Amino acid sequence: MVGHDVALQAAAEQIGRAQDEKALRPSIAGFFDEATNTVSYVVHDPATCEAAIIDSVLDYEAAAGRTSYGSADRIVEYVNSHNLKVTWLIETHAHADHISAAPYLQEKLGGKLAIGAEIIRVQEVFGKLFNAGTDFERDGSQFDHLFTDGEKFNLGEIEGIALHVPGHTPADMAFIIGDAAFVGDTIFMPDFGTARADFPGGDARELFRSIRRLLSLPEDTRLFLCHDYKAPGRDEYAWETTVGQQRRENVHVKDGVSEDEFVEMRTTRDKTLAMPNLIMPSVQVNIRGGRLPEPEDNGVSYIKIPVNAV
């Protein structure tokens, strides 16, 4: 597969260079938010101290409709204590289970806010669902940069490449930085399996192909996951694995599982899953780049809940 996929070939070659030369490997710190089972990452180049923040979390108390910054401030403290310079604030997709803290972190630390270019498809679907009106731009302009499949970038002296991995949503991206892949909501720890594919624009068949694309990378590629839910029998949260481990052990998509088998399993399983607790506020805010809807004439921002529409 790699030989027929130019972007994947470039990613594999980048990983090989990083594995051969230790200086091209990033330093990675994970920050786990147990309330949303989300892992945020600070990834930096040890040589230049340039850093990226991936999939940050804004604390949100749904019952009271209140936001706070405890999770984000842990990241601010880490960045400042390590004298890092943030150049990228990356979202792997428009999350449905937590609100992004990217605007807050951008104000505190700087950096370009980036997401995959297919966010415009997500904005179109959910812009209609939430009746966002003509003032809501559906062109991705809420972000500073829209990544395309195979696009290369740098984190200091470390090479990066973006891969489009749709299925969970149409806009999901994986970001390969040095020898590490940040895969968002595509795949989970091997004992838990894979992400759901039943949100608007999701597709189980596309998800299978995206995962197999990622699993075509070198076997010792480090994979960093966006979530962990502790599979039955496991007592500790975990969010780092490898391509090889996933190919051997993933309960949904290990080697030998066919596309049709996966689609049947994923479709059947998704029908049993409840919607994420924070899907309404999360998607509504995240399609705006993590910004709350514009305040109304009383100075208050409001989250809409469409009734009997989902």
Side-chain angles (χ1 to χ4, degrees):
M1 181 177 178
V2 173
H4 303 289
D5 185 330
V6 174
L8 190 64
Q9 180 66 41
E13 291 172 355
Q14 172 190 297
I15 291 165
R17 288 190 293 273
Q19 291 172 340
D20 290 341
E21 189 172 343
K22 188 176 181 180
L24 298 179
R25 302 178 193 173
S27 293
I28 301 165
F31 298 82
F32 187 72
D33 176 58
E34 191 166 353
T36 62
N37 295 93
T38 302
V39 193
S40 306
Y41 296 99
V42 178
V43 188
H44 79 270
D45 172 14
T48 66
C49 289
E50 285 195 20
I53 299 171
I54 300 176
D55 290 336
S56 60
V57 174
L58 180 71
D59 300 322
Y60 179 72
E61 185 183 350
R66 299 195 65 85
T67 60
S68 57
Y69 304 101
S71 296
D73 283 337
R74 291 169 59 204
I75 290 176
V76 173
E77 180 181 359
Y78 178 87
V79 167
N80 289 335
S81 67
H82 288 76
N83 297 312
L84 305 181
K85 177 186 177 182
V86 174
T87 55
W88 290 105
L89 297 152
I90 292 174
E91 301 292 333
T92 55
H93 63 295
H95 304 275
D97 42 34
H98 70 272
I99 296 174
S100 169
Y104 174 80
L105 292 169
Q106 189 174 45
E107 181 182 339
K108 295 286 185 181
L109 301 169
K112 289 184 178 181
L113 174 55
I115 200 167
E118 293 299 312
I119 185 62
I120 60 175
R121 291 178 57 191
V122 179
Q123 289 176 328
E124 184 64 31
V125 170
F126 284 100
K128 290 178 181 177
L129 176 64
F130 292 115
N131 197 27
T134 56
D135 289 340
F136 172 59
E137 299 291 343
R138 295 158 170 83
D139 59 1
S141 57
Q142 299 85 352
F143 301 85
D144 300 313
H145 185 80
L146 301 181
F147 277 105
T148 57
D149 185 52
E151 183 176 347
K152 295 181 180 181
F153 63 100
N154 284 90
L155 188 64
E157 297 174 1
I158 297 177
E159 299 173 306
I161 190 167
L163 296 179
H164 185 214
V165 287
H168 175 64
T169 79
D172 279 63
M173 301 291 289
F175 293 89
I176 320 300
I177 301 175
D179 67 331
F182 298 87
V183 299
D185 286 20
T186 52
I187 199 166
F188 300 139
M189 289 300 289
D191 57 359
F192 199 86
T194 57
R196 65 194 299 166
D198 61 332
F199 294 150
D203 187 288
R205 200 166 295 278
E206 275 196 332
L207 179 61
F208 178 85
R209 294 172 183 174
S210 292
I211 291 171
R212 294 310 305 184
R213 190 183 192 206
L214 290 170
L215 298 187
S216 297
L217 292 168
E219 285 207 353
D220 47 0
T221 302
R222 296 185 288 164
L223 302 182
F224 291 87
L225 317 178
C226 189
H227 298 287
D228 186 56
Y229 303 95
K230 287 198 299 191
R234 175 158 55 87
D235 296 327
E236 302 294 329
Y237 290 109
W239 48 81
E240 181 180 352
T241 178
T242 65
V243 165
Q245 184 183 17
Q246 294 283 10
R247 292 184 63 170
R248 292 187 301 270
E249 301 175 15
N250 189 283
V251 295
H252 292 170
V253 74
K254 64 185 175 184
D255 287 356
V257 175
S258 73
E259 182 174 315
D260 287 343
E261 289 171 333
F262 175 82
V263 170
E264 182 179 359
M265 177 282 301
R266 188 70 268 169
T267 302
T268 301
R269 182 178 174 86
D270 287 350
K271 290 177 180 177
T272 71
L273 301 178
M275 286 291 103
N277 291 334
L278 297 182
I279 186 170
M280 293 303 175
S282 295
V283 174
Q284 204 164 157
V285 173
N286 292 338
I287 59 175
R288 293 176 164 86
R291 299 172 186 87
L292 294 172
E294 286 296 316
E296 298 192 9
D297 55 10
N298 61 356
V300 177
S301 293
Y302 289 86
I303 298 292
K304 291 181 178 180
I305 306 295
V307 178
N308 298 327
V310 177

